[in-house]
Amino acid sequence: MNKRDYYEVLGVSKGASADEIKKAFRRKAVELYPDKEGGDDRQRVLI
């Protein structure tokens, strides 16, 4: 089983502060958020 380097995924160094990690996490969450482009209202009803 491969283990992921979460620091690399977030784009921060291993010596990053908690604030840097928090900012990087939020940036990545916004980047990957599935509904940031609007989306289809019909699909929202199904969820």
Side-chain angles (χ1 to χ4, degrees):
M1 178 188 247
N2 291 337
K3 292 195 177 194
R4 296 185 72 170
D5 181 13
Y6 295 113
Y7 293 100
E8 183 180 329
V9 171
L10 293 176
V12 297
S13 67
K14 292 196 183 225
S17 69
D19 287 336
E20 290 174 321
I21 294 171
K22 187 185 293 187
K23 287 178 187 177
F25 177 83
R26 290 185 179 170
R27 227 178 300 130
K28 187 60 86 170
V30 168
E31 177 186 325
L32 298 176
Y33 186 68
D35 196 29
K36 71 178 181 180
E37 299 293 327
D40 188 1
D41 287 333
R42 292 175 290 165
Q43 292 296 324
R44 284 193 204 123
V45 173
L46 296 176
I47 296 173

